[in-house]
Amino acid sequence: MSNASPLRTTLERLEALIRERGLKRSDLFTARTLAGATALPESVVHTLLQGDEPPADTVNERVRTRIKALADARMARTGERMSELSGSIAQQLGVSAFWARQVCSGTKVPSIELLHGLVDVFGVQAGEMFFTAPPAEALNRALLSIFAALDPMQDGQDLVATSGAETRAGLADVRGIALRQAMDLPKERWNVLEATLKALLEVDDGEEHQ
């Protein structure tokens, strides 16, 4: 029986599928795109992809750094200033703008109740687990999402048996991760992705009506 970690197992299976399809890993993901999808530091993603262990952290550190990463990414994407973002969050969650600024800057850890609210604010699909999961688990979830998008005919049962709750969360997070990764795609690749999604939707629609 293999003692490989869920992340290592997922990577091996994903690499095999990439070779089978004649693709390149960089066409699907890089340490940078995975960092964007998981809100993990790029250095941590690179370390995990190499099969090494990143520095130990605490749940509070994960929550703070991941919220800050999402806030920084949103401001870079939208052009919002910190005052605008914190004001919007304060209004949505019914908290002070000062509190929202502290959370977005990574200096304060929100309560469980407010963390639940931030799930909606940032549109993450995996719930509070997105902010609290250990790095290897968070990265595994993202890679499982890519695997599921590559092989939509996969029923997922063998993956679920391998990775348990991580896999189920990963499959649920496909859309959010894919959209964040797709934002930076060149026009030609976006056209390919759009055509693929359209074809898959047509297949699903046809199966439902059989």
Side-chain angles (χ1 to χ4, degrees), residues 11-151:
L11 271 172
E12 289 173 356
R13 299 191 65 175
L14 187 53
E15 292 287 3
L17 188 57
I18 288 171
R19 290 193 299 272
E20 178 186 317
R21 300 290 175 84
L23 302 171
K24 295 179 181 178
R25 179 197 268 200
S26 59
D27 289 334
L28 299 174
F29 64 87
T30 63
R32 181 179 181 183
T33 59
L34 288 172
T38 58
L40 293 171
E42 188 173 338
S43 59
V44 169
V45 172
H46 181 74
T47 296
L48 288 168
L49 290 176
Q50 293 294 109
D52 297 324
E53 289 292 327
D57 62 359
T58 65
V59 172
N60 283 350
E61 288 171 338
R62 294 170 202 159
V63 171
R64 287 191 295 99
T65 58
R66 290 178 201 178
I67 292 174
K68 183 179 186 303
L70 290 178
D72 289 345
R74 175 164 158 175
M75 288 187 289
R77 184 173 68 251
T78 65
E80 287 178 282
R81 293 174 296 182
M82 177 60 84
S83 59
E84 294 170 322
L85 175 58
S86 57
S88 174
I89 291 175
Q91 187 173 29
Q92 285 180 257
L93 301 186
V95 297
S96 71
F98 176 71
W99 177 91
R101 179 185 287 269
Q102 285 184 303
V103 169
C104 288
S105 64
T107 58
K108 187 174 182 65
V109 179
S111 66
I112 294 296
E113 180 182 0
L114 293 174
L115 187 62
H116 180 73
L118 290 170
V119 167
D120 293 329
V121 167
F122 291 110
V124 295
Q125 300 295 317
E128 293 85 350
M129 159 188 238
F130 179 92
F131 300 104
T132 61
E137 184 178 321
L139 182 58
N140 191 46
R141 183 173 63 240
L143 291 172
L144 285 169
S145 297
I146 295 171
F147 189 101
L150 265 181
D151 193 5

